[in-house]
Amino acid sequence: MSEQSTEDFLILRSLDDPITEEELRAAGEESGEALKALRDDGVDIEWVESEVLTDEDGRVTGTFCHYRAEDEDAIREHADRAGLPATRIDRRGEPLDGE
């Protein structure tokens, strides 16, 4: 994949109902399969990392994901193919310096 043709995107995936860790793992597998299929179709997209959001009971309420992709359409297509929500998609800005 050519890094020069991609942009960094941050995706909030909010879930209407909490899911289990097992369901989260299954969603991760679907995501990986969708990424592979998109790349096989010539789409420049790569998963970087994800943070898991939980409620006070430890149930998964969503994720906050970092991807590199050729455009926002690639991010949306991945979400559709993987059956994942894409509640909000933003381009990643410069990280803040801090403590």
Side-chain angles (χ1 to χ4, degrees):
M1 253 182 246
S2 82
E3 295 283 328
Q4 297 164 340
S5 67
T6 61
E7 294 182 76
D8 287 282
F9 291 91
L10 298 176
I11 302 98
L12 173 62
R13 301 187 193 286
S14 295
L15 301 173
D16 292 333
D17 297 307
I19 62 172
T20 65
E21 291 287 333
E22 184 176 307
E23 290 169 314
L24 179 64
R25 278 190 294 282
E29 289 175 14
E30 287 291 322
S31 175
E33 290 172 16
L35 284 171
K36 182 181 180 321
L38 282 167
R39 287 192 291 260
D40 288 348
D41 289 346
V43 176
D44 201 353
I45 187 169
E46 172 188 9
W47 171 77
V48 178
E49 66 180 338
S50 294
E51 297 289 334
V52 177
L53 308 173
T54 62
D55 63 15
E56 61 278 354
D57 296 322
R59 296 175 299 184
V60 176
T61 59
T63 59
F64 197 68
C65 304
H66 178 188
Y67 282 77
R68 288 190 188 100
E70 59 188 47
D71 56 26
E72 189 173 322
D73 288 341
I75 299 294
R76 291 192 186 286
E77 180 66 20
H78 168 260
D80 287 346
R81 288 190 188 195
L84 299 171
T87 310
R88 182 171 173 167
I89 301 170
D90 289 291
R91 283 168 176 75
R92 182 176 183 249
E94 289 299 316
L96 297 174
D97 289 331
E99 189 174 4

